[in-house]
Amino acid sequence: MFNRKEVLIIACISLMAFSCNRPVETNLITGKEGQPLPTFNLLLPDSSTIYHTDQAKGKPTVFFFFGPNCPYCQQQMEEMKANMIELEDVQFVLLTGESFGGMKNFAERNGLKKYANVVVGLDTANFFLKYYKLSGYPFNAFYNKKGVLQYVYDGQVKMEKFISMTQRLN
């Protein structure tokens, strides 16, 4: 078992390797485009409900991988909220692998409970991070209503482009 000092060192190294460093979007080619949404679970803020990704099928869905304290993630979230009327037909799944408390605070700080089309959860197995081999956030994966991956963007996506891509998911 690690002592407290060793745990802090490991945590710092992890944060340096995985960080909030994506102010500008980059369209990624992952090799997963055209593939169906993988099945995985998220723990929701009530700490007892599980969200299954099977629930995302049937409607266009954007998976937004965020860091609770990432300023680029927060800025993208502000822009998404400001355009939620235009984005009401899109299901948003906001997920993080950082901490339950961080996820819950992000949801509360942004008043996300009031949006019926937004799910916020903790990826306790870090499945999403491993599946996409992520090294930072924000990260956005756009799935069409059939649950097939269409676009992947690393970094904060400008809202004009974001809205345009969601309109092409039907």
Side-chain angles (χ1 to χ4, degrees):
M1 206 36 68
F2 297 108
N3 66 35
R4 182 173 167 79
K5 185 177 178 182
E6 291 169 325
V7 169
L8 289 173
I9 291 169
I10 292 167
C12 288
I13 291 169
S14 295
L15 286 174
M16 287 188 290
F18 191 86
S19 64
C20 176
N21 58 1
R22 304 287 195 278
V24 179
E25 84 263 0
T26 303
N27 184 6
L28 296 179
I29 304 300
T30 64
K32 298 179 185 318
E33 292 76 10
Q35 292 184 14
L37 174 64
T39 301
F40 63 99
N41 301 320
L42 301 174
L43 180 62
L44 301 185
D46 69 4
S47 76
S48 62
T49 306
I50 302 293
Y51 173 85
H52 304 280
T53 54
D54 291 343
Q55 294 171 253
K57 293 180 179 144
K59 52 187 118 178
T61 303
V62 176
F63 283 81
F64 175 54
F65 189 73
F66 69 93
N69 298 309
C70 169
Y72 308 118
C73 299
Q74 184 59 48
Q75 187 174 359
Q76 182 168 324
M77 188 71 251
E78 292 296 328
E79 292 177 14
M80 289 164 60
K81 289 186 317 186
N83 291 280
M84 202 53 82
I85 291 172
E86 196 166 353
L87 296 167
E88 67 186 353
D89 294 332
V90 177
Q91 174 72 42
F92 290 96
V93 179
L94 283 58
L95 64 154
T96 188
E98 280 201 21
S99 72
F100 182 80
M103 175 269 300
K104 191 171 180 174
N105 288 339
F106 185 86
E108 289 171 0
R109 180 173 67 237
N110 286 290
L112 299 177
K113 258 186 179 178
K114 69 181 176 185
Y115 300 105
N117 62 329
V118 175
V119 172
V120 184
L122 178 66
D123 183 0
T124 57
N126 282 315
F127 176 86
F128 198 79
L129 181 139
K130 294 172 192 171
Y131 182 75
Y132 282 107
K133 298 178 174 89
L134 302 181
S135 62
Y137 28 63
F139 179 86
N140 299 272
F142 295 78
Y143 284 84
N144 67 18
K145 65 182 178 181
K146 293 179 182 176
V148 175
L149 181 63
Q150 302 298 299
Y151 317 104
V152 175
Y153 278 85
D154 193 18
Q156 181 183 342
V157 180
K158 292 185 171 116
M159 201 46 48
E160 220 173 84
K161 183 180 281 186
F162 192 94
I163 290 170
S164 172
M165 286 186 304
T166 59
Q167 290 170 343
R168 292 184 272 169
L169 293 177
N170 284 314

